[in-house]
Amino acid sequence: MARIAITDGMSDGAMKILSDAGHEISSEHFEPPDLLSGVLSTFDAVIVRSATKMTREVITSSITESNGIQFIGRAGVGIDNIDLEAATEHGIIVCNTPGASTRSVVELTIGHLLSSVRNIPRADRTMRAGSWEKKTLRGSEIYGKRLGLIGFGRIARGVADAARSLGMEIHAFDPYVENGSIDPSMCTLHEELDDIFTICTHISVHCNFSEETKHIVNSDRISLMTGVGADGIECGNHLISCARGGIIDEDAALKALESGQLSSLALDVFETEPPDQSPLLAHDDFHGSPHIAASTMEAQARIGVEMANTLLEFLDGIRPVNSLN
Ligand code: MLT
């Protein structure tokens, strides 16, 4: 029997899988002082979402000479809250659930895309405030426009399929995807990130956050966007991210909104979460959501079950296919 700490919640179905297998589960959330005082060292495994930060110090505090965690499960995709190097140094396996939330993130991205071009958040805000802005809230169609995807993994490909079915032409940049591996009738893969900005009026971010991707969407690149669609319509420039905060330079994006270079900015993720003090929140052409791309009933059920089964495999001595180290 293993002792498992589930610190940021998990679906009931997932908890049941683990308890039915005879394991002892704690679903208490621990704050950093408790984590640093070694509260996890009495557990064999911990499963986190994004709230629990498994830093080097927390990982070191979670093991003793003879005991402590051997497994860190990230119930979700992004592992920027886990120090993978420190975990590896201590022989701790880290696993995530890379595919379980794909559909949900795809759908929220498309939701933000349509909200941006048809001004839906602004229309709702102004109407509630008593104003009927039928004449000023003129949008544009996405049909016949070029969508640029930064990163071309599972989620971006799902967005590409959905956007193509809505009549968009798809362009992507991903240095980790082999040229020639993508059907060019589905998507044009570019070798230069700048090309995405010069060619596309609508851009969605789908890469991981790392030192390599920090602020790759910056003022120089945003200034390359032309605001004119492939169909010749002056549709403006639209930027979306449901990936990770910090890939878009938010200060640069705000300046671009202020100057009119960007017609809209839609974010589900922020450099600081929650973005309470962000001046973006006061800009009419910005709209956002509080990091909810994976927050659907379906995704959370899939994530929980996948993570529980991954942990059971690990406890049975099988190296999980989702292991990241
Ligand atoms: C993920 O990486 O799985 C999503 O961004 C959701 C989250 O972090 O909670």
Side-chain angles (χ1 to χ4, degrees), residues 49-50 74-78 101 243-244 291 294:
R49 290 178 61 188
S50 51
R74 165 68 167 99
V77 184
S101 54
R244 269 296 177 275
H291 202 147

Side-chain angles (χ1 to χ4, degrees), residues 135-199:
K135 292 216 169 73
T136 48
L137 289 176
R138 179 183 291 178
S140 55
E141 294 178 352
I142 54 171
Y143 185 88
K145 308 296 189 300
R146 294 188 180 118
L147 175 65
L149 301 169
I150 302 177
F152 202 56
R154 284 187 191 82
I155 294 168
R157 289 172 201 219
V159 169
D161 288 344
R164 205 180 307 106
S165 74
L166 292 167
M168 299 192 89
E169 182 184 307
I170 312 299
H171 296 258
F173 168 80
D174 189 327
Y176 298 99
V177 172
E178 222 174 282
N179 218 339
S181 64
I182 304 294
D183 177 351
S185 68
M186 300 289 174
C187 168
T188 307
L189 200 58
H190 294 266
E191 283 182 14
E192 298 297 331
L193 177 54
D194 285 1
D195 292 349
I196 297 297
F197 289 82
T198 51
I199 291 171

